[in-house]
Amino acid sequence: PTPTPVPPVFAAPILPYQPIFTGPILFPPDLSIFGIEITQGIQCFDTSEGLASCPDNSLRVVNKKDTAARIYLRYAGLFASGLNNVPVRLHIRANGVWYTANANGNAKTTLDQTTTDSAEVYFNVNFTNDVVVDFYAEVDPNNTIAETNEANNRWPASGFLTLTFRRRDNLNLVSQRLRYHPSGYSGSQYAGGWAVNGGGADYFEQLLPIRENGINHSIKSGYLDWTTSLGSGDGQHALIQNLNARWLMENIFSWLFGTGAFTGADHVYGWAPNDGYSGGHADMPVYPHAGGLGVVGIGTDRPGTSTDNPGGGALIMVHELLHDYDLKHTDTGADDCGSNDDTSLFPYSTSSIQEVGFNPYTGKIYDPDDTHDVMSYCPAGGSKSGWIAPYTWEYMNTRLDVLAANAAGEASPLLTAEDYETHRLGPENFQVTGNGQSLLVNVKVFNPNHPDYDPDIPAEFGEMHLVDTGLAYPVPDGDYEIQLWRGQTLLYTDTFTATFASEYTPGFASHQGGPPHPESPQGGDPPFPPDPTLQADVMFIMPWAPFTNEVRIVHQGGTIAQQSVSLDAPDISITSPVTTTVWPAGTMQLLEWTASDPNGDPLTYAVFYSNDGGSTWQLLASELAVPMYDADVDSLAGGNDVRFRVVANDGVLSSYAETPAP
């Protein structure tokens, strides 16, 4: 888009009208218009059939998103139930300019949105900022059909249907494919297929109140080698935590290593082969025991064929990524296929989308009698079609309004201060501080009420990194603290929360497991038991205080873990390979290095990989305890100048070595 508004682009079917009656008409009909529905996916219309409390055309619409005007034609006559191929003209005014589009439809005695009788005009309001658009329509605009009343052919009879098309920015979505091969597993190892290769992202974009091409989807090169079973909640949490760590590290390390695939991503989605994992899981901020950053989702690659037939993989992807915005299940009881959630705000008595849905990209009509909101389990289980209900549409409208306003650095009169505080996700949550350095915090806190709790280890530090950048990524405040000390002086503190309740614990703020249901995408059982978890994994970025020599985890006034900060960073050098070499496909190759710490601190390692001469880097592994890494050659993208970088970390300080350039 140019800095000045670009006129809307309209594409409409234009068919010449052929008069049906050539002789005198003894009993001419009367043609009029029931109304115009402006829809981008779902819209309230005809309160006698849909939501009685939702006025016509009251759902918000979006700038630069493909839109349909469905014009419903009324027929009144003595001897017929309708008239086909009736001409209609739609008038649209945007930014002071009028446009017209012609279409044909079938005039009927009763209104039925679930049929293809309406005259449909497809268009895109293509402006840089919010724009007010007026509409009105005329049936039989050239008066080619004899009627008993020519005065009621305009809708509305006077004035206009007026809607504001809201600005939307893009979301960056990165797919991470898994090579999945835990012990004892014999199914397909590599995730792939229609949903993974962009089909799921297309479906997500068409369903959301977001602009056309508003989902910038990319597939991270190579595969994440994953050997932990995803058959339990612990395994799924481990994968989410791993992807969270990669996302944070590739964002904070971009100041050292340039950009990576996850740098700037709003969402990261981990795809597993359906043979090994048939469900999905999300990192909802409302329960931060899996990180709670609201960035990561994981799920099956179950195949689909198109956005009109998305299949379980795409449906679950959309379901899980909406969870990242703290959107909960429908929880409507008998018809939700087990998607129970006793704190759900879904306001309807059934999981139906309530109103007739319509996809302007494909022309598909979604009948609320057999279509559920995507936050129900039924669509992914295959018993219902999946689309978006008015509640979910409006919820995401508010969330995406916040992202657009944050990206533009401005406030919106439609949003509250609470919206801005609670709806920040992903890159929007990075904040500039006045400090010259930041600490990537990585801790585990253990549940004292769990039967496997070890009182000698109430918490422990993971691999943290001190980085020369003035960015912070805060998390919600809580009763745990990270404290920075120098001797007996407290220099800085930041708080966080840790939750051990399972997302299926009754009364908790997220999912609640119900009785097994045969249509659940989890194979007939809720994916997790309601038991509390043993640990909570927490990662965030906080400002660093110069001269800190100890980092502490503090809970209720007591120190439960501490990490000293040494004066010197580790020494590291790569020992193999040390010259340019070619690794054949289908092989496992060993990357080795030596490292030492001048202060005797134990070391852990992170391995980065670049196939473009160091322009971009991807994190392959972190928190390695041994100085070697087995590289699966088939999971790495090749190139003429590929390099590894190994980062040695003593708990806080880091240094790195790199394989030689060709």
Side-chain angles (χ1 to χ4, degrees):
T2 60
T4 57
V6 177
V9 177
F10 304 102
I14 302 174
L15 300 175
Y17 174 70
Q18 300 296 329
I20 296 174
F21 304 98
T22 59
I25 300 176
L26 297 179
F27 302 100
D30 179 34
L31 298 173
S32 59
I33 299 174
F34 285 108
I36 305 172
E37 177 191 10
I38 305 298
T39 181
Q40 296 180 327
I42 195 74
Q43 183 57 266
C44 287
F45 193 81
D46 189 8
T47 55
S48 67
E49 296 292 334
L51 295 168
S53 60
C54 192
D56 292 358
N57 293 294
S58 60
L59 299 184
R60 288 174 285 177
V61 287
V62 177
N63 206 347
K64 299 189 178 184
K65 184 175 181 68
D66 282 6
T67 311
R70 303 189 71 195
I71 306 167
Y72 300 102
L73 307 181
R74 186 198 301 266
Y75 176 90
L78 291 178
F79 302 112
S81 60
L83 184 63
N84 294 338
N85 200 32
V86 175
V88 182
R89 182 168 297 148
L90 180 66
H91 300 260
I92 307 173
R93 178 169 60 184
N95 201 34
V97 178
W98 281 106
Y99 306 86
T100 59
N102 297 311
N104 292 335
N106 301 331
K108 298 296 181 180
T109 57
T110 58
L111 171 63
D112 185 357
Q113 295 173 260
T114 65
T115 69
T116 57
D117 287 328
S118 61
E120 294 163 4
V121 176
Y122 299 86
F123 59 95
N124 190 303
V125 177
N126 186 14
F127 286 83
T128 302
N129 295 306
D130 296 0
V131 61
V132 175
V133 182
D134 297 320
F135 302 89
Y136 75 92
E138 299 172 281
V139 61
D140 188 25
N142 296 324
N143 296 319
T144 57
I145 302 173
E147 298 183 62
T148 59
N149 182 3
E150 299 283 357
N152 62 351
N153 287 14
R154 185 188 195 275
W155 190 95
S158 62
F160 315 106
L161 168 62
T162 301
L163 297 175
T164 299
F165 285 70
R166 297 277 295 147
R167 183 189 65 201
R168 283 287 184 270
D169 288 325
N170 297 338
L171 290 177
N172 296 317
L173 168 62
V174 181
S175 287
Q176 171 68 75
R177 299 167 297 182
L178 267 62
R179 181 199 172 199
Y180 182 72
H181 56 117
S183 176
Y185 173 70
S186 59
S188 174
Q189 293 189 7
Y190 293 94
W194 176 84
V196 179
N197 294 330
D202 288 343
Y203 179 65
F204 194 36
E205 177 180 287
Q206 291 175 17
L207 175 144
L208 276 181
I210 197 169
R211 57 174 290 179
E212 183 182 9
N213 297 321
I215 302 295
N216 295 332
H217 175 249
S218 61
I219 301 175
K220 187 171 183 179
S221 64
Y223 292 81
L224 172 59
D225 194 54
W226 192 255
T227 58
T228 301
S229 172
L230 297 176
S232 69
D234 288 343
Q236 293 158 34
H237 295 160
L239 177 56
I240 289 173
Q241 177 69 3
N242 182 286
L243 293 174
N244 272 335
R246 292 167 184 269
W247 180 81
L248 274 174
M249 291 180 71
E250 288 198 18
N251 275 279
I252 196 169
F253 274 138
S254 64
W255 281 265
L256 289 176
F257 295 155
T259 58
F262 293 167
T263 306
D266 295 281
H267 292 291
V268 172
Y269 196 77
W271 296 93
N274 190 63
D275 288 348
Y277 182 46
S278 62
H281 199 116
D283 186 34
M284 294 175 70
V286 75
Y287 60 90
H289 60 264
L293 302 184
V295 172
V296 171
I298 61 172
T300 173
D301 69 352
R302 194 182 312 159
T305 57
S306 70
T307 55
D308 285 346
N309 182 30
L315 281 159
I316 289 174
M317 186 204 80
V318 170
H319 180 107
E320 300 304 337
L321 290 181
L322 290 180
H323 270 323
D324 276 348
Y325 293 85
D326 279 339
L327 194 61
K328 301 174 183 177
H329 289 143
T330 56
D331 190 30
T332 51
D335 82 329
D336 60 18
C337 298
S339 57
N340 301 326
D341 180 345
D342 64 358
T343 62
S344 172
L345 298 178
F346 194 73
Y348 315 125
S349 61
T350 70
S351 294
S352 162
I353 59 171
Q354 312 299 319
E355 296 277 346
V356 174
F358 187 82
N359 187 345
Y361 293 83
T362 67
K364 180 171 181 176
I365 299 171
Y366 292 89
D367 188 335
D369 288 343
D370 60 16
T371 306
H372 274 198
D373 185 82
V374 290
M375 299 315 292
S376 161
Y377 272 169
C378 298
S383 63
K384 298 287 183 181
S385 295
W387 199 239
I388 189 168
Y391 166 76
T392 306
W393 178 271
E394 288 296 89
Y395 182 99
M396 289 306 299
N397 250 311
T398 298
R399 278 304 185 74
L400 296 172
D401 269 345
V402 170
L403 296 180
N406 283 336
E410 62 186 33
S412 167
L414 301 178
L415 305 173
T416 66
E418 183 180 2
D419 288 332
Y420 284 97
E421 287 299 318
T422 60
H423 293 179
R424 298 176 68 94
L425 293 169
E428 299 295 334
N429 205 35
F430 281 104
Q431 299 176 13
V432 177
T433 71
N435 300 59
Q437 294 179 302
S438 299
L439 179 67
L440 173 61
V441 174
N442 181 4
V443 300
K444 299 181 188 297
V445 179
F446 297 99
N447 181 3
N449 298 315
H450 195 278
D452 295 331
Y453 176 73
D454 182 351
D456 293 331
I457 311 176
E460 64 182 18
F461 287 95
E463 187 177 273
M464 299 190 293
H465 294 276
L466 179 62
V467 183
D468 291 332
T469 179
L471 288 184
Y473 192 97
V475 292
D477 293 336
D479 57 356
Y480 288 85
E481 295 180 70
I482 296 294
Q483 295 184 350
L484 306 181
W485 288 79
R486 179 166 182 81
Q488 301 302 310
T489 302
L490 176 62
L491 302 179
Y492 190 84
T493 186
D494 214 337
T495 69
F496 65 93
T497 186
T499 301
F500 305 111
S502 164
E503 55 267 51
Y504 277 79
T505 301
F508 186 54
S510 184
H511 320 46
Q512 176 190 339
H517 194 288
E519 294 173 355
S520 166
Q522 307 296 337
D525 294 294
F528 311 113
D531 306 318
T533 60
L534 172 61
Q535 70 186 50
D537 298 289
V538 180
M539 294 190 71
F540 61 96
I541 302 171
M542 63 181 287
W544 178 254
F547 309 112
T548 296
N549 60 14
E550 186 175 78
V551 182
R552 300 179 187 176
I553 306 174
V554 176
H555 181 53
Q556 296 179 342
T559 298
I560 57 176
Q562 55 196 45
Q563 169 72 54
S564 62
V565 181
S566 60
L567 297 175
D568 304 299
D571 296 317
I572 182 171
S573 61
I574 294 175
T575 57
S576 178
V578 293
T579 59
T580 301
T581 185
V582 175
W583 286 352
T587 64
M588 299 293 293
Q589 299 288 339
L590 190 62
L591 177 70
E592 295 181 286
W593 58 90
T594 60
S596 61
D597 186 75
N599 307 289
D601 295 325
L603 300 178
T604 58
Y605 309 100
V607 178
F608 289 80
Y609 175 74
S610 172
N611 73 324
D612 56 12
S615 296
T616 61
W617 294 89
Q618 61 173 304
L619 177 65
L620 298 180
S622 62
E623 299 196 58
L624 298 175
V626 294
M628 63 183 66
Y629 175 73
D630 284 317
D632 176 7
V633 174
D634 284 354
S635 70
L636 303 174
N640 295 322
D641 184 358
V642 302
R643 306 179 189 183
F644 290 92
R645 276 181 175 169
V646 181
V647 178
N649 178 268
D650 68 2
V652 175
L653 303 181
S654 303
S655 56
Y656 70 88
E658 182 178 326
T659 53

